[in-house]
Amino acid sequence: MRQVLVLGLAVAALSARAADAPPLPYEAKAKHLGVVNCASSLCHGSISEWKGSNVLQTEYVTWSRVDKHALRANQVLRNDRSRRIAANLGLKQPAHEAKICVDCHGHNPPPELRGERFKAADGVSCEACHGPAENWIKSHVAPGASHEENVRNGLYPTDDPVALARLCLSCHFGNKDKFVTHRIMGAGHPRISFELDTFTQTQPPHFVADDDWQKRKGRWDGVRVWAIGQALAAQESLDVVLDPKRGRDGLFPELVVFDCHACHHPMSDTRWKPRVGTRPGTIRFNDANLLMLRQIVRRTYPADAPVFNDLVLQLHKAVAGEGGDAIEAARRLRKGLDSVVAKLRLREFDDRDLRAILAGLVDDGLAGGYGDYAGAEQASMAIASVLNFLARRGSLPDVRAANAALDRVFETVKDDEKYRLERFQSALGGLKTIVAR
Ligand code: HEC
Ligand code: HEC
Ligand code: HEC
Ligand code: HEC
């Protein structure tokens, strides 16, 4: 009872904040002007970094040359795979014109909110992440303009990890408006994998969180970004379960929130092993993000860990028909996550936190906690991020050996269909001896 109260209080504090969450760029009611307005060599299209400027000014060049969001995101809609997906789904339009695809593979604001120079073919363009520029384009270059003022004028706060997670996940998982369903996957869409910190680093980034960035925008803590990304991703999955429209497809629940490989493997390959909260012959909720959160909560808020673990267990049990109502369990866990996020926003992570989280991930893995591919995949990305943070802080004595051991871990999660827990565990064992040195 006491523990439930602890979670409840934080939830009340958070509902106020959720209400004033900024609209996502595609939801905002202002005009989208188009990339050409950002691309001048005096603005963000310089080929070399400007000394003495707050920002790199090369953002457009990075984005247009190496970022998959530019052009490519949209061009893939014209390839054979997309043609096949569109045909299998029976879409009336080709993929590159179909809203269901362009909403994610491009920037697709309503026609009345497109400026004269807006071009749909630009793909996931600047304003798809930074928000429609109509009301901030002038003021953001005015002398002395602050980041807060820009945000007040409609710049999307990509520096805030919660806002950032909502933004990236809106396409890298989906939300109430756009979503890769199991039907779309069944038609041939690839499985989507995402981890906020890793993907922010590989986008590739067109910003440097240096001293001046932190002065303008606050501290950038990659571990916090990772942790909040996990919580928001888990919430997005639970939202699917809770949404009467998205949650069901005919007789069955929407399948993308479950572990893909629970269904997708040959029948001759009998691999089931007992695990807490699951039963043979049942499908499992994809708990990859929840497994990461288990580590995060255990380290950062140990007093909350029993409640959190119990909420997760109740969900697994209800899904497997072992008692309780699954919708109710999903609702309670989702609420509990609100309070985790509220606390994570304020948390800073030091070297000891990093080492404890790393050890927790490795030990959970060695104990067989990542039997499903999706969990092993998230754990690998998390371990890589944590090692990377430690290395950047100069707290990893043998970076070369750690990298080599990490490569061996990644080798075991390269192909989801060939994933074997034993191989993953043995690679983790190698990593453990190196980082423990
Ligand atoms: C909720 C957002 C979303 C929707 C809706 C969506 N996609 Fe995607 N799609 C993605 C993301 C994100 C990726 C990249 C996955 C990755 O690499 O991690 C992707 C990848 C792809 C790829 C593989 C791209 C490559 O580089 O190999 C194809 C092809 C594709 N999508 C086609 C489609 C088609 C056709 C539709 C419409 C029926 C569609 N998508 C709807 C988000 C979406
Ligand atoms: C997929 C999302 C995405 C796209 C597309 C994108 N950005 Fe960004 N941008 C980010 C993120 C995330 C950050 C880092 C957080 C921050 O500084 O707010 C960022 C930061 C920036 C910054 C601030 C750097 C600083 O030091 O304060 C500028 C300037 C910028 N982007 C310009 C652009 C331009 C110009 C384009 C288009 C050519 C673009 N961005 C496209 C996500 C995106
Ligand atoms: C409007 C939708 C949209 C938004 C918002 C978005 N992405 Fe993407 N992203 C895509 C699509 C679609 C692709 C796949 C492009 C392709 O492979 O053709 C992609 C690809 C990527 C890739 C390359 C993945 C790979 O397999 O190589 C990274 C990294 C990435 N996104 C990171 C981010 C991050 C970080 C954010 C948030 C700051 C973000 N994205 C926001 C749609 C989006
Ligand atoms: C409850 C079981 C179940 C789960 C969980 C599940 N699927 Fe499926 N999947 C199916 C069934 C049934 C089909 C249809 C098979 C057929 O038509 O032969 C299918 C079809 C597919 C296909 C097309 C296969 C083909 O033969 O063309 C793809 C791709 C796919 N699923 C991907 C996924 C991904 C990715 C996930 C996880 C995010 C997932 N599935 C989760 C049961 C499941």
Side-chain angles (χ1 to χ4, degrees):
M1 190 56 201
R2 191 186 59 83
Q3 286 165 329
V4 170
L5 272 177
V6 174
L7 283 173
L9 282 178
V11 172
L14 196 92
S15 337
R17 190 180 280 128
D20 49 59
L24 287 165
Y26 73 89
E27 298 172 318
K29 299 276 173 279
K31 270 216 168 87
H32 300 259
L33 305 182
V35 176
V36 46
N37 288 287
C38 324
S40 146
S41 62
L42 295 175
C43 301
H44 299 292
S46 169
I47 41 172
S48 57
E49 292 170 20
W50 278 37
K51 292 208 181 68
S53 167
N54 273 339
V55 306
L56 300 173
Q57 308 223 197
T58 54
E59 297 84 2
Y60 169 76
V61 178
T62 307
W63 173 82
S64 60
R65 290 194 185 160
V66 278
D67 192 322
K68 284 191 180 170
H69 294 110
L71 299 173
R72 194 193 142 117
N74 194 264
Q75 275 165 2
V76 298
L77 294 184
R78 294 168 191 268
N79 70 16
D80 290 343
R81 187 168 192 178
S82 289
R83 260 195 289 279
R84 183 171 167 260
I85 298 172
N88 287 349
L89 289 171
L91 299 185
K92 292 199 187 69
Q93 289 159 307
H96 65 274
E97 287 172 11
K99 180 171 163 48
I100 186 177
C101 312
V102 183
D103 276 353
C104 289
H105 285 267
H107 183 37
N108 195 25
E112 67 279 12
L113 292 180
R114 296 178 182 199
E116 276 158 31
R117 300 211 281 173
F118 179 92
K119 280 209 335 260
D122 282 336
V124 181
S125 49
C126 317
E127 289 165 293
C129 289
H130 294 295
E134 183 181 27
N135 300 326
W136 56 258
I137 186 126
K138 282 221 181 77
S139 57
H140 91 294
V141 289
S146 74
H147 182 57
E148 286 73 29
E149 282 165 88
N150 295 332
V151 169
R152 241 178 283 132
N153 289 336
L155 182 82
Y156 189 79
T158 40
D159 56 306
D160 169 47
V162 174
L164 181 71
R166 282 184 63 228
L167 169 69
C168 308
L169 285 165
S170 72
C171 296
H172 284 272
F173 176 75
N175 63 12
K176 61 183 181 8
D177 298 322
K178 41 188 181 173
F179 180 42
V180 182
T181 57
H182 185 258
R183 276 194 193 208
I184 299 180
M185 289 188 174
H189 197 280
R191 189 183 71 89
I192 294 187
S193 101
F194 187 72
E195 192 276 283
L196 187 59
D197 178 69
T198 306
F199 274 59
T200 306
Q201 298 310 321
T202 50
Q203 188 185 343
H206 48 257
F207 71 102
V208 187
D210 52 11
D211 291 344
D212 102 72
W213 190 97
Q214 309 215 26
K215 225 177 262 152
R216 287 179 287 121
K217 299 182 167 175
R219 203 166 108 83
W220 176 276
D221 184 329
V223 189
R224 182 162 63 200
V225 170
W226 166 66
I228 288 180
Q230 293 297 327
L232 275 268
Q235 286 192 319
E236 291 291 357
S237 296
L238 293 166
D239 280 345
V240 174
V241 177
L242 294 171
D243 181 344
K245 274 209 222 94
R246 279 191 298 161
R248 300 199 70 81
D249 188 11
L251 182 61
F252 291 97
E254 167 56 56
L255 297 180
V256 285
V257 298
F258 298 98
D259 177 49
C260 314
H261 306 93
C263 297
H264 290 287
H265 73 262
M267 273 188 265
S268 56
D269 176 15
T270 44
R271 50 166 99 170
W272 193 83
K273 283 196 201 91
R275 212 181 327 153
V276 182
T278 71
R279 288 287 176 274
T282 57
I283 55 174
R284 300 181 287 280
F285 189 78
N286 176 350
D287 61 0
N289 305 119
L290 297 171
L291 287 169
M292 300 301 103
L293 283 160
R294 198 173 115 93
Q295 294 305 329
I296 294 161
V297 173
R298 180 155 83 190
R299 171 64 194 174
T300 44
Y301 311 107
D304 290 353
V307 194
F308 177 78
N309 293 340
D310 188 56
L311 288 172
V312 174
L313 181 63
Q314 294 311 322
L315 177 72
H316 278 311
K317 279 185 154 170
V319 167
E322 296 288 312
D325 175 45
I327 300 289
E328 194 43 42
R331 191 171 290 128
R332 284 177 40 222
L333 176 56
R334 200 200 178 288
K335 265 201 189 154
L337 286 170
D338 274 344
S339 83
V340 172
V341 172
K343 289 184 182 177
L344 283 174
R345 278 187 116 121
L346 309 173
R347 183 69 151 82
E348 306 224 327
F349 292 83
D350 61 19
D351 275 13
R352 290 203 346 257
D353 293 325
L354 295 188
R355 289 201 170 276
I357 289 171
L358 181 64
L361 289 164
V362 171
D363 289 342
D364 252 18
L366 289 173
Y370 309 129
D372 289 333
Y373 172 78
E377 179 190 43
Q378 283 297 330
S380 308
M381 288 194 273
I383 289 169
S385 289
V386 176
L387 284 174
N388 188 17
F389 303 137
L390 282 168
R392 269 186 280 163
R393 294 182 187 198
S395 314
L396 197 64
D398 195 344
V399 177
R400 247 221 268 138
N403 270 337
L406 187 62
D407 282 348
R408 284 191 290 277
V409 174
F410 271 113
E411 195 55 38
T412 67
V413 292
K414 215 169 65 186
D415 182 346
D416 58 336
E417 292 177 10
K418 300 211 175 88
Y419 175 69
R420 277 283 177 264
L421 174 63
E422 301 72 34
R423 261 181 260 150
F424 182 65
Q425 284 171 312
S426 121
L428 278 184
L431 184 77
K432 184 172 171 140
T433 50
I434 283 163
V435 295
R437 268 182 218 157

